[in-house]
Amino acid sequence: MRMMKVAIVDDEEDIRQSISQWLALSGFDTESFACAEDALKVIGADWPGAVITDIRMPGMDGMAFLKRLMGLDSGLPVIMITGHGDVPMAVEAMRLGAMDFMEKPFNPDRMTELAKRATQARRMTLDARALRRDLGEGTKVMGKLIGTSAQMERLREDVLDIAQSDGHVLLDGETGTGKTLVAHALHAAGTRAGKKFVTISCAAYTEDALGERLFGPVAEGGGLPLVEEARGGTLVLEDIEALSSGLQARLLTLLNEQGSPAETRIVAICNAHGEGRMLEDLLRPDLYFRLAAHKITLPPLRARGEDVLTLFTRMAEQFADDYGCDAPEVSAQEAAQLLQAPWPGNVRQLINVAERAVLQARRGQGSIASLLMAESDELGAAMTTEGKPLKEYVESFEKMLIDNTMRRHKGSIAAVMEELCLPRRTLNEKMAKYGLSRADYT
């Protein structure tokens, strides 16, 4: 738990000492300052505690000091010390943001009670700020899980729900579907967001080297074994199917020793999907069911409908910014081809195609269709997709076209109407139909 301090600011040394001694006897950590100027050298935003200050001081008085403190951090609890004639001034100080005031000679019990209330309030404020920062980071990572399909909506809901629990997680799905990104999101959106996030591929080491790296002892100067480095946070084990039976036993022992709730969350990533093997057969059952307390299977890209066009557009725009050129225009035929492609490499493959499309457009040659054909030849036609009604292709292309145009014109309805030759009513109806809002582009 965060230790709260009480800063005591008064130009009279005996007052500072008496307050400090009494609060110290009551269990408070105090720090004293003879003037406001000295205190401001130490107290700033997120100061871990409260402030007790006299109103009448030479140089910067208590009222000016209060205004400076409120400018630095409006959530900082400040208690004013007043003489009998300063009560109206203390009331004004409370209007400006002070928490309360004490009259001289003050009652030690009341002072202790005010200090207790102030430090408790401060702890709650700082904890709430820390939580908002953690949630902000989680929101940023969650924002990378792009897509409006039902599969992606469900995936985001699962991640947010599971992130709040302490159970271990098993991530499954085809290669390139974003399992590592989901592992990051589970950590960033959960209660361990401020703790360590450690990842290792179980397929990248020999059994002995992996055992040493995970459990120790490590060679001199090699750092902590990963189970120690990740203590209290998240340990991601990629290619969990490559874990030998001996290391599976050691991992199970670790999980049993941690008890419940687990001190360190394990996120296991399986990359054996689609190879004719079941993870249940590759791991010992007791370990499998411990790791699969929560299981998420990521959807393949070919099952995510118009997310393909959304992702391609976003990736192409990012690469265009990186290379200092315009993103390639996508025709209706190319949009249909993107939607029909089998995408055996999933999102990772789409990112590669988007980058190559930007590079060849910069040179003024090639087409998206040629890139898709080349990808198909390289990866093989191991998967196919079922055809869809023409209406779905048309609607997906129409949505992508309006989305792209709104982005390019930063939400200017007039510019979009002119470029797409659409009357305002028709544009409004189509934006409502596809869930597009002008506010998202301004």
Side-chain angles (χ1 to χ4, degrees):
M1 182 178 290
R2 188 195 300 263
M3 183 66 174
M4 293 289 107
K5 294 183 177 182
V6 178
I8 303 161
V9 187
D10 198 302
D11 61 305
E12 297 184 47
E13 185 176 358
D14 58 339
I15 296 289
R16 294 198 306 271
Q17 288 182 348
S18 63
I19 295 176
S20 181
Q21 289 171 1
W22 182 260
L23 290 180
L25 288 173
S26 302
F28 291 93
D29 181 15
T30 64
E31 192 167 352
S32 298
F33 303 92
C35 64
E37 290 85 351
D38 288 345
L40 286 170
K41 295 175 183 177
V42 177
I43 301 172
D46 289 334
W47 163 261
V51 177
I52 296 177
T53 179
D54 195 6
I55 285 185
R56 296 195 180 274
M57 296 184 291
M60 183 183 296
D61 66 13
M63 295 296 285
F65 181 42
L66 172 66
K67 291 176 182 177
R68 288 284 298 276
L69 291 176
M70 292 298 98
L72 289 169
D73 188 338
S74 62
L76 181 64
V78 180
I79 300 167
M80 313 295 289
I81 302 174
T82 73
H84 180 68
D86 296 329
V87 172
M89 194 180 298
V91 173
E92 172 65 11
M94 292 180 66
R95 188 186 70 80
L96 294 174
M99 177 180 172
D100 213 323
F101 65 92
M102 301 184 296
E103 286 189 80
K104 297 177 183 177
F106 38 77
N107 182 315
D109 292 331
R110 171 169 164 74
M111 178 177 63
T112 302
E113 179 60 28
L114 285 178
K116 181 179 179 181
R117 281 171 43 202
T119 52
Q120 287 177 342
R122 186 59 169 167
R123 176 177 286 114
M124 292 177 64
T125 296
L126 295 181
D127 288 348
R129 287 180 186 173
L131 178 60
R132 281 197 297 272
R133 283 194 292 266
D134 292 342
L135 291 176
E137 176 63 24
T139 300
K140 184 168 71 174
V141 178
M142 288 292 292
K144 296 181 180 179
L145 298 175
I146 299 169
T148 57
S149 62
Q151 293 88 336
M152 288 304 292
E153 293 284 0
R154 185 163 55 250
L155 174 63
R156 286 190 290 267
E157 290 174 2
D158 288 345
V159 169
L160 288 173
D161 287 342
I162 294 172
Q164 301 305 311
S165 75
D166 286 309
H168 305 302
V169 186
L170 177 62
L171 301 179
D172 190 18
E174 296 177 8
T175 183
T177 48
K179 297 186 286 293
T180 302
L181 177 59
V182 168
H184 276 278
L186 286 167
H187 178 80
T191 57
R192 303 171 190 264
K195 306 294 181 61
K196 282 278 192 174
F197 179 85
V198 180
T199 181
I200 186 172
S201 170
C202 298
Y205 297 83
T206 64
E207 180 177 359
D208 291 342
L210 181 60
E212 179 180 315
R213 191 73 189 90
L214 279 174
F215 305 105
V218 295
E220 186 176 351
L224 292 172
L226 295 188
V227 294
E228 291 297 327
E229 185 180 341
R231 185 177 294 275
T234 302
L235 176 59
V236 180
L237 301 177
E238 296 190 0
D239 307 297
I240 188 68
E241 68 277 4
L243 209 62
S244 68
S245 57
L247 292 181
Q248 289 184 39
R250 294 183 69 178
L251 179 59
L252 182 62
T253 299
L254 172 73
L255 299 184
N256 290 333
E257 289 174 348
Q258 286 196 82
S260 180
E263 183 179 18
T264 303
R265 168 177 255 183
I266 304 295
V267 177
I269 296 178
C270 172
N271 286 311
H273 193 98
E275 297 179 12
R277 299 179 295 172
M278 300 293 289
L279 188 59
E280 294 93 321
D281 301 327
L282 298 172
L283 296 180
R284 48 187 296 166
D286 44 5
L287 177 61
Y288 172 80
F289 288 111
R290 289 297 296 276
L291 293 176
H294 302 288
K295 185 176 180 182
I296 299 177
T297 299
L298 274 71
L301 184 57
R302 63 184 177 279
R304 291 172 51 186
E306 65 185 40
D307 283 357
V308 173
L309 297 181
T310 302
L311 280 164
F312 183 86
T313 300
R314 298 282 180 86
M315 295 301 107
E317 288 175 349
Q318 288 181 20
F319 284 122
D321 286 341
D322 292 342
Y323 291 115
C325 60
D326 293 330
E329 295 287 342
V330 179
S331 68
Q333 181 180 4
E334 288 172 328
Q337 291 165 339
L338 287 168
L339 287 166
Q340 293 179 67
W343 301 112
N346 291 288
V347 177
R348 192 175 300 148
Q349 180 190 1
L350 181 143
I351 292 172
N352 294 339
V353 171
E355 182 176 20
R356 289 161 67 181
V358 169
L359 289 173
Q360 69 177 14
R362 187 175 64 166
R363 297 192 302 269
Q365 60 186 45
S367 65
I368 294 173
S370 64
L371 290 175
L372 291 174
M373 290 176 63
E375 288 280 316
S376 178
D377 290 340
E378 291 174 11
L379 295 171
M383 304 175 188
T384 58
T385 56
E386 294 182 1
K388 294 191 296 183
L390 176 63
K391 182 175 180 289
E392 289 189 27
Y393 288 124
V394 171
E395 290 180 345
S396 295
F397 174 71
E398 193 172 59
K399 178 182 176 181
M400 180 198 69
L401 190 61
I402 296 173
D403 179 56
N404 287 352
T405 312
M406 289 291 290
R407 287 179 185 280
R408 193 162 55 252
H409 292 294
K410 296 181 172 55
S412 171
I413 296 294
V416 174
M417 288 167 52
E418 181 179 356
E419 180 172 332
L420 299 182
C421 300
L422 289 174
R424 179 180 290 273
R425 180 177 176 180
T426 303
L427 178 59
N428 288 340
E429 289 174 349
K430 290 185 179 296
M431 290 181 66
K433 175 182 178 181
Y434 300 129
L436 301 176
S437 171
R438 180 177 177 273
D440 295 333
Y441 305 96
T442 56

